[in-house]
Amino acid sequence: MTSALNSESETDAESDDRTRSQSCGSRGDSDVDTGADGQPQPHTIRLELPDQPGQLLAALEPISDNGGNLLSIFHERGNVTPRGRIPVEVDVEATPDRFDAIVSALRDGGVNVVQAGAEHYAEEVVVLLVGHLVDTDLSDTLRRIEQCPAASIADFSLNAPEGRTDTSSARLRIATRAGATAEALEMVSDIAEEKELHVVEPLTGGAA
Amino acid sequence: MSDGKRLAVVGAGAVGGSVVDLAAEYGHTVVAFADSSSAAVAGDDSGIDAAAALDRKADEGTVGDADPDDALHADYDVLVEATPTTLGDAEPGFSHLQTALERDRHVVLANKGPVAERYGDVRDLERNSAGQVRFEATVGGAIPIVSTVEDLSPSHVTAARGILNGTANFILSRMAAEGIDYEHVLAEAQDLGVAEADPTFDVEGTDAALKCVILANVLSEGEREFTLSDADVEGITNVPGSALELAAEDGRTIRLVGEATRDGIRVGPRLVPQNAALAVTGTRNIVQLETTHAGQLNLSGRGAGGPETASAVLGDVGRLE
């Protein structure tokens, strides 16, 4: 399962205070925005795990066992709780029934579930960036957006008809936490301003 | 419809000319007509010879033998202010309005300047006058936007947004449809008369911003006064064809969208779904109103043009008490 692979790579990255693995591609074409009954939806589970090898992997097994699709893991090693536990935020896509089963299985297995159910990457926003994207270090731009806890890049396209040196355009599909779309857009806008890029933002909410 | 009014029309461009041309059809009489250097003033209540004044404007560049100031002091019920929009002190339009209000006459504006740049001053003058000020024609040409907001009551409208500049919309829709770049489409738009020789006002977003400033002033009902300097404005000159292509791949397009609320004004290129109400094509305009009890209203139509804008002016004249 991809979830197991993600968790392994996650535990290896111990040098970072906050590390995350992302498997947005695995979301496929499922419509995560509908929220309709019975449809798979993104959910966030907050766990606190003892700082011991194998704990993360053990905590993730009930997710795949119960048909959940692991979207991302936040392993907040730099944020140890007063009782010495490590907070972990797991994003899972699952139908409401399966999500309930996942949470029950985690609790039955003795995992400390702090919070479950609030949607995490519940919203998606598409923005365009225009300007000297390549010359202004495109990978740095993307990395900085990805570093924002409220946002994750789900899809990226570059259109550079004049080659690397002239004006080009990029389309970013950004998954954001529920209610954090404005924050994510502001962050993109700040990075763009610093790099003298133009942002074409979407109309959000019920507009358009 | 109210009784016929006596109109003084100041400004002899496409809008002023059309008002003079169409006034009789709406039951009104033009008693004075002025451009920046000349005027035609009627000797009695039967009004000026509209056709003769318009012909003279076309042939000689003047509308009559009188002084423009004579038109402002003629015996009219309503001053139609249709001189070009100016920024800052909004002159000479503002002084024209002031003259009429101080004489207790009504004013109908097609000129955006006074209500975009000096809304508080305009309302102060109106309070001390028996005359009223109306300005439907300043936002969205033929589309009844200001009167719709009035009908809903501004306190029940939370936001207005839309496509309020036909030139910018024409350029963006042509760029998207034909895959050609900004400079080529601009040249085409200038050949067609859709864009002016100096398109700055339209393509930099200033014109759309002025309309949004007016809407924000209407929505805030005097609690806060907005001017162009309060607007966050970005034009379309930085939108390349490559960005429109990326938008289209995703079922979207880019439009110069203006937004007005009680909190501020923002104009800039925005991504909208290709099938969205706001994704109008060509020179068409649209305004979307968010209301507390009536849901979302979409009003679209022709946002510019002489007869179209004149119809909004004459609609305002008809609404005067």
Side-chain angles (χ1 to χ4, degrees):
Chain A
M1 288 301 289
T2 48
S3 55
L5 287 173
N6 280 342
S7 63
E8 293 282 43
S9 63
E10 196 61 34
T11 46
D12 289 343
E14 293 189 2
S15 56
D16 285 355
D17 276 349
R18 298 181 102 190
T19 53
R20 169 198 288 175
S21 72
Q22 191 68 49
S23 55
C24 291
S26 66
R27 295 166 72 167
D29 292 322
S30 62
D31 188 358
V32 296
D33 290 331
T34 61
D37 285 342
Q39 291 288 310
Q41 275 180 271
H43 302 270
T44 297
I45 308 172
R46 282 192 70 83
L47 312 171
E48 287 179 6
L49 300 178
D51 191 6
Q52 289 163 13
Q55 288 293 320
L56 181 58
L57 185 55
L60 296 175
E61 271 170 2
I63 296 172
S64 49
D65 289 348
N66 287 283
N69 182 18
L70 190 67
L71 299 177
S72 74
I73 307 166
F74 246 118
H75 198 211
E76 301 179 39
R77 296 196 68 84
N79 232 349
V80 178
T81 68
R83 283 152 62 199
R85 291 171 183 265
I86 297 171
V88 177
E89 199 168 272
V90 183
D91 291 331
V92 176
E93 187 187 61
T95 60
D97 285 348
R98 285 180 171 176
F99 180 69
D100 289 344
I102 288 166
V103 175
S104 303
L106 284 169
R107 289 191 163 131
D108 290 347
V111 176
N112 185 10
V113 179
V114 178
Q115 190 193 336
E119 287 180 3
H120 188 181
Y121 293 115
E123 293 167 16
E124 249 186 15
V125 68
V126 176
V127 297
L128 300 181
L129 291 176
V130 177
H132 291 280
L133 292 163
V134 180
D135 287 352
T136 55
D137 195 347
L138 184 56
S139 43
D140 173 71
T141 305
L142 299 179
R143 186 164 53 241
R144 284 168 59 186
I145 294 169
E146 187 68 29
Q147 274 169 0
C148 171
S152 175
I153 296 171
D155 181 55
F156 170 80
S157 273
L158 181 70
N159 188 352
E162 309 293 332
R164 293 166 53 93
T165 50
D166 209 334
T167 296
S168 51
S169 302
R171 183 184 67 231
L172 282 78
R173 184 184 304 277
I174 302 173
T176 70
R177 292 171 189 244
T181 301
E183 185 190 335
L185 287 174
E186 199 178 319
M187 179 254 317
V188 172
S189 170
D190 288 347
I191 296 171
E193 191 176 343
E194 183 191 316
K195 299 193 172 200
E196 296 182 9
L197 302 172
H198 296 279
V199 187
V200 181
E201 290 184 19
L203 276 175
T204 51
Chain B
M1 185 69 91
S2 60
D3 295 340
K5 298 276 197 305
R6 294 168 300 166
L7 311 183
V9 180
V10 182
V15 177
S18 290
V19 172
V20 169
D21 187 33
L22 297 175
E25 212 177 294
Y26 287 73
H28 307 300
T29 308
V30 178
V31 295
F33 180 33
D35 63 11
S36 57
S37 64
S38 66
V41 179
D44 56 44
D45 277 357
S46 63
I48 64 165
D49 183 339
L54 291 169
D55 284 348
R56 180 168 167 169
K57 178 66 183 172
D59 294 341
E60 300 172 28
T62 57
V63 296
D65 295 321
D67 187 87
D69 221 33
D70 296 342
L72 286 173
H73 293 89
D75 195 13
Y76 54 83
D77 303 310
V78 184
L79 179 75
V80 174
E81 220 299 331
T83 63
T85 295
T86 53
L87 304 180
D89 63 6
E91 294 292 3
F94 184 83
S95 288
H96 297 164
L97 168 139
Q98 183 168 15
T99 303
L101 287 177
E102 284 174 356
R103 295 181 63 207
D104 289 327
R105 308 301 159 91
H106 301 303
V107 179
V108 171
L109 295 168
N111 174 355
K112 294 180 275 291
V115 271
E117 295 286 63
R118 301 180 69 177
Y119 192 79
D121 291 341
V122 168
R123 289 304 196 195
D124 284 346
L125 286 169
E126 187 188 33
R127 255 189 298 281
N128 293 316
S129 169
Q132 299 169 36
V133 180
R134 300 197 62 88
F135 46 91
E136 181 66 76
T138 61
V139 184
I143 312 169
I145 300 164
V146 175
S147 56
T148 303
V149 172
E150 276 179 0
D151 284 352
L152 292 160
S153 143
S155 62
H156 293 135
V157 179
T158 54
R161 71 180 75 82
I163 310 298
L164 286 162
N165 186 274
T167 304
N169 203 62
F170 176 88
I171 291 173
L172 287 175
S173 32
R174 286 290 290 168
M175 284 175 72
E178 306 294 328
I180 34 185
D181 63 25
Y182 172 78
E183 278 77 17
H184 284 88
V185 179
L186 175 61
E188 180 197 34
Q190 285 168 327
D191 288 346
L192 289 170
V194 170
E196 307 206 13
D198 177 4
T200 315
F201 210 58
D202 296 312
V203 299
E204 296 295 351
T206 313
D207 175 69
L210 288 169
K211 292 164 180 168
C212 288
V213 167
I214 294 168
L215 287 174
N217 279 325
V218 171
L219 292 183
S220 74
E221 298 183 276
E223 280 190 20
R224 179 173 165 194
E225 181 182 348
F226 294 95
T227 68
L228 186 60
S229 60
D230 298 307
D232 174 5
V233 187
E234 191 184 335
I236 61 164
T237 54
N238 292 314
V239 177
S242 60
L244 283 154
E245 280 174 18
L246 282 176
E249 281 174 16
D250 200 39
R252 291 159 211 258
T253 190
I254 301 173
R255 288 291 181 266
L256 183 66
V257 176
E259 296 175 280
T261 67
R262 285 169 194 77
D263 300 318
I265 297 113
R266 175 178 175 184
V267 174
R270 303 290 283 272
L271 276 169
V272 294
Q274 280 172 335
N275 59 1
L278 283 184
V280 290
T281 56
T283 57
R284 203 167 183 82
N285 282 24
I286 181 166
V287 167
Q288 195 166 66
L289 301 175
E290 295 293 344
T291 72
T292 43
H293 304 303
Q296 189 179 74
L297 294 174
N298 288 290
L299 309 166
S300 84
R302 295 189 182 175
E308 291 86 349
T309 310
S311 85
V313 168
L314 291 162
D316 267 352
V317 171
R319 281 186 200 96
L320 290 165
E321 300 292 313

